[in-house]
């Protein structure tokens, strides 16, 4: 009996251990996030108008340059003879440059409109099937063709309504040259896509035919 009483007294005198929480909700030092590693792992998206990532930056500039100069001189000189001359000169420079140089470099396309002996015309389209078109080059090219054609169309329509003859004639010249290149490259791009689709179809059919022939021979 005395031994049991002595054991109980010793149990009461032993200090109780502090209870530990099951879940630690906070720490003495906050967790540090590595911002540098996160930014390095995520690639930055570049703009399609960044010339630093263009394959042909000079061609991108020239596909805009002559169009912009023609439009700027038109806005400066209005319906004067200088506006007429400068718009024709720079629009002609642009037409030749885009048709023969920048279209081939930037999108791998070229078009020709051949006049036959009987007086009829024939469209011919050329494309580079193995050319990898740069996204910046492509964006600059089609933006220039669409944007300036639309601008000349707006000026043509407004001056036709206001009966400003001299400006209307200049607008028609600028619109005609821009529209011809846009239409030619639009048809050329469609022809290129059709050729690529036919080529893929031919390759697929050849592969299937060869595979079936090998299976039948076994």
């Amino acid at each position: 009996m005395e031994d049991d009483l002595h054991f109980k007294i010793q149990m009461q005198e032993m200090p109780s251990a502090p209870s530990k929480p099951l879940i630690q909700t906070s720490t003495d030092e906050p967790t540090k996030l590595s911002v540098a590693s996160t930014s390095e792992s995520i690639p930055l998206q570049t703009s399609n108008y960044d010339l630093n990532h263009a394959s042909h930056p000079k061609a991108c500039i020239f596909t805009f340059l002559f169009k912009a100069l023609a439009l700027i001189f038109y806005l400066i000189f209005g319906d004067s003879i200088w506006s007429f001359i400068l718009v024709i000169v720079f629009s002609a420079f642009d037409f030749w440059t885009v048709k023969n140089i920048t279209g081939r470099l930037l999108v791998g396309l070229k078009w020709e409109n051949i006049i036959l002996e009987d007086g009829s015309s024939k469209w011919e389209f050329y494309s580079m099937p193995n050319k990898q078109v740069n996204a910046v080059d492509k964006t600059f090219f089609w933006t220039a063709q669409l944007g300036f054609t639309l601008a000349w169309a707006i000026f043509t329509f407004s001056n036709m309504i206001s009966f400003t003859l001299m400006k209307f004639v200049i607008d028609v010249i600028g619109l005609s040259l821009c529209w011809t290149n846009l239409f030619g490259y639009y048809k050329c791009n469609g022809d290129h896509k059709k050729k690529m689709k036919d080529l893929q179809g031919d390759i697929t059919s050849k592969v299937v035919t060869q595979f079936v022939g090998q299976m039948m021979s076994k």
Side-chain angles (χ1 to χ4, degrees):
M1 187 69 178
E2 291 179 357
D3 292 339
D4 293 340
L5 182 60
H6 181 67
F7 177 75
K8 290 181 180 180
I9 293 173
Q10 287 182 347
M11 289 293 295
Q12 290 178 359
E13 290 178 353
M14 291 178 60
S16 59
S19 59
K20 296 182 180 180
L22 296 178
I23 300 175
Q24 187 174 1
T25 58
S26 63
T27 58
D28 295 336
E29 296 181 359
T31 304
K32 296 181 181 180
L33 297 177
S34 177
V35 179
S37 61
T38 305
S39 61
E40 290 175 358
S41 62
I42 301 175
L44 297 176
Q45 295 182 352
T46 59
S47 171
N48 283 346
Y49 293 97
D50 188 357
L51 284 175
N52 294 324
H53 295 86
S55 297
H56 304 89
K58 292 181 180 179
C60 291
I61 293 173
F62 274 96
T63 200
F64 269 90
L65 180 62
F66 294 128
K67 291 183 181 68
L69 289 175
L71 197 60
I72 289 171
F73 285 123
Y74 169 78
L75 296 174
I76 292 175
F77 293 106
D79 56 355
S80 67
I81 188 64
W82 282 109
S83 177
F84 181 81
I85 294 172
L86 291 173
V87 168
I88 290 178
V89 170
F90 285 111
S91 294
F93 283 164
D94 173 74
F95 180 83
W96 186 89
T97 302
V98 172
K99 179 177 178 293
N100 296 290
I101 300 177
T102 60
R104 177 174 52 84
L105 292 176
L106 299 181
V107 291
L109 302 174
K110 191 177 185 299
W111 63 269
E112 293 284 352
N113 189 266
I114 301 174
I115 305 299
L116 303 178
E117 294 181 355
D118 58 358
S120 60
S121 61
K122 177 184 178 182
W123 289 91
E124 290 191 358
F125 307 111
Y126 309 94
S127 60
M128 300 178 184
N130 297 325
K131 179 179 176 62
Q132 296 293 329
V133 178
N134 181 276
V136 177
D137 293 352
K138 181 179 178 181
T139 303
F140 265 89
F141 180 80
W142 287 112
T143 300
Q145 308 316 311
L146 291 168
F148 284 95
T149 301
L150 180 61
W152 283 116
I154 293 173
F155 285 126
T156 302
F157 181 75
S158 62
N159 288 317
M160 181 179 64
I161 295 176
S162 61
F163 298 103
T164 308
L165 181 60
M166 187 63 174
K167 279 190 173 183
F168 177 73
V169 173
I170 298 172
D171 295 337
V172 170
I173 294 172
L175 176 62
S176 299
L177 293 174
C178 280
W179 167 255
T180 303
N181 256 334
L182 175 62
F183 183 70
Y185 277 109
Y186 174 77
K187 290 176 67 67
C188 188
N189 188 52
D191 182 75
H192 173 69
K193 290 181 178 179
K194 183 178 181 299
K195 289 178 180 177
M196 291 297 99
K197 186 176 180 180
D198 294 341
L199 180 61
Q200 291 176 357
D202 292 340
I203 293 175
T204 303
S205 62
K206 289 180 180 179
V207 171
V208 172
T209 303
Q210 185 178 4
F211 177 76
V212 172
Q214 292 177 353
M215 294 295 293
M216 295 292 293
S217 62
K218 291 182 180 180

